[in-house]
Amino acid sequence: MFSLARSSLSAARRTTASNVGSLKLGLRAMSSDSDAVTFDLTGSFTTHRLDTAPNNEVTMTKEELLGHFRLMYTMRRMEITCDNEYKARTIRGFCHLYDGQEAVATGINAAFEKEDSWITSYRCHCIALARGGTVAPILAELFGNSGGMTKGKGGSMHFYSKENNFFGGQGIVGAQVPVGTGLAFANKYNAKPGEKMNVAIACYGDGAANQGQIWESANMASLWKLPMIFCIENNHYGMGTPIERHSSHQDYYMMGNHIPGIRIDGMNVLAVKEGMRFVKEYCGSGNGPMYVEMMTYRYHGHSMSDPGTTYRNREEIALTRSTRDPLEFVKKTLVDAGFAEPEEIKAMEKEIRKEVQAEVKKAKAFPDVELSQMFDYVYAADINGGKQEMPEHIRMPDYAKSFWKS
């Protein structure tokens, strides 16, 4: 695991050192054969009210680990691109970036099946990518054009893919958790007798963890033993406030009281994968919900309007990048395991950068959403939803160009 290093300006803050150890860049390979390597995960998990725990080792093939690296590096390049495009004003409105937290989404997805349900907060670009999306439709959605993942109508906070059981980002803090609990109820309701249930996960940040709607959802999930995972992505700053200033209870994996919980090193994709395999097995077997705390870190501010350096300093961010970066972890693990040489990894990075740039051009080439299509699937003309209707008035940024139904 890891401890969050603080600069002298932050020395008075509570750190997580009392709960977790230190993260090494790379894992000790316990054993290997020609196709796979077994890695030691000792110290990656802390449990609450559990008689069992995830394995302290995980076996990976070269193809699996390279696949995780490819997805994570694509996420990183996509989010850096979003940063650049936002500053160029081709992306407007709210925009919350995920760089630094890539191991969380990648590890969860690796442990899940397509039939499992996933809903998250407005920091959702990379989870949309993990759940079957591609870069061009994701960026097109951010550009607000017709090639977007939700046809240019959702924007940064509202990705969605029913095909992949991804129920999106929610624009309201914490609002995804009751919906996620409903998804868990549906999974239990639809499960065949004697078979394991598909699980549902709702991801939210430490800043949302004390909301009343989450407590109510946890109560219901526990009463009905729903296959629900309450996943706190603890990046240590709820919007811009350190956890010790906004939460009296800072061990989030224990917040379910009698509901079991687990804390996972969220900067280690192997630990996330093994930890979530264990959680999915537990919840899907009819044991009820579980709280999961992912110890992670975001490099950008809360959103693009937040420089991210007023409540922390650049030295802290730089130290995290140099000692705990989830991508550097995977790169070193690939080399240490004998799966890839540094030159091969650099070539892959170069290839992915070119791919993302090509996807940017593709995303920008999609046409704008036609005014006649703007309110499709928003207003229904009848209860069956088969007919769409335009509202009486659409207010445009330039009032003179506004639409009135004639």
Side-chain angles (χ1 to χ4, degrees), residues 186-207:
N187 287 347
K188 181 173 183 176
Y189 187 86
N190 292 322
K192 295 179 181 179
E195 294 186 7
K196 288 184 179 178
M197 295 174 281
N198 293 118
V199 300
I201 186 170
C203 294
Y204 54 100
D206 51 284

Side-chain angles (χ1 to χ4, degrees), residues 321-337:
R321 285 184 181 275
S322 64
T323 60
R324 295 173 44 217
D325 184 77
L327 281 165
E328 292 300 321
F329 172 86
V330 179
K331 287 163 66 173
K332 191 172 190 303
T333 303
L334 282 165
V335 173
D336 290 349

Side-chain angles (χ1 to χ4, degrees), residues 82-258:
C82 290
D83 175 278
N84 293 333
E85 294 293 339
Y86 194 93
K87 290 171 181 174
R89 298 189 177 185
T90 52
I91 296 174
R92 295 174 180 266
F94 293 106
C95 187
H96 305 81
L97 302 183
Y98 200 72
D99 49 325
Q101 300 182 210
E102 297 93 346
V104 175
T106 302
I108 293 173
N109 191 64
F112 272 25
E113 299 171 10
K114 183 179 177 181
E115 293 75 20
D116 295 315
S117 308
W118 195 340
I119 191 167
T120 189
S121 69
Y122 37 73
R123 202 179 304 277
C124 59
H125 313 158
C126 291
I127 297 176
L129 184 68
R131 285 307 264 183
T134 56
V135 175
I138 291 172
L139 292 177
E141 188 61 40
L142 290 161
F143 295 145
N145 62 39
S146 60
M149 199 168 181
T150 51
K151 308 301 181 185
K153 301 171 186 176
S156 173
M157 300 190 289
H158 300 288
F159 287 88
Y160 177 86
S161 176
K162 179 63 173 69
E163 176 187 1
N164 295 300
N165 286 305
F166 175 53
F167 295 89
Q170 284 273 347
I172 305 301
V173 175
Q176 67 273 23
V177 181
V179 181
T181 306
L183 293 169
F185 178 83
N187 287 347
K188 181 173 183 176
Y189 187 86
N190 292 322
K192 295 179 181 179
E195 294 186 7
K196 288 184 179 178
M197 295 174 281
N198 293 118
V199 300
I201 186 170
C203 294
Y204 54 100
D206 51 284
N210 285 292
Q211 287 200 350
Q213 59 186 331
I214 295 175
W215 296 107
E216 292 178 45
S217 299
N219 179 60
M220 184 177 294
S222 181
L223 276 173
W224 295 346
K225 288 190 176 296
L226 302 182
M228 174 63 183
I229 302 168
F230 296 86
C231 182
I232 302 99
E233 295 187 71
N234 183 2
N235 57 34
H236 303 280
Y237 297 99
M239 292 189 70
T241 307
I243 58 173
E244 62 269 19
R245 292 187 60 198
H246 72 71
S247 182
S248 63
H249 194 327
Q250 293 148 34
D251 294 318
Y252 294 105
Y253 70 110
M254 297 182 179
M255 290 186 81
N257 299 316
H258 65 278

Side-chain angles (χ1 to χ4, degrees), residues 289-358:
M290 189 180 293
Y291 267 65
V292 176
E293 180 182 9
M294 295 289 182
M295 303 297 283
T296 186
Y297 194 85
R298 57 170 164 79
Y299 293 149
H300 272 84
H302 172 71
S303 70
M304 284 300 296
S305 61
D306 169 22
T309 54
T310 56
Y311 46 87
R312 59 183 182 177
N313 57 46
R314 298 184 188 278
E315 288 76 15
E316 179 184 309
I317 301 169
L319 182 62
T320 303
R321 285 184 181 275
S322 64
T323 60
R324 295 173 44 217
D325 184 77
L327 281 165
E328 292 300 321
F329 172 86
V330 179
K331 287 163 66 173
K332 191 172 190 303
T333 303
L334 282 165
V335 173
D336 290 349
F339 285 160
E341 295 297 325
E343 294 74 18
E344 296 177 77
I345 296 172
K346 288 180 181 178
M348 182 183 291
E349 290 175 335
K350 184 177 180 180
E351 176 189 354
I352 293 171
R353 287 196 297 269
K354 288 182 178 179
E355 289 173 357
V356 171
Q357 285 306 306

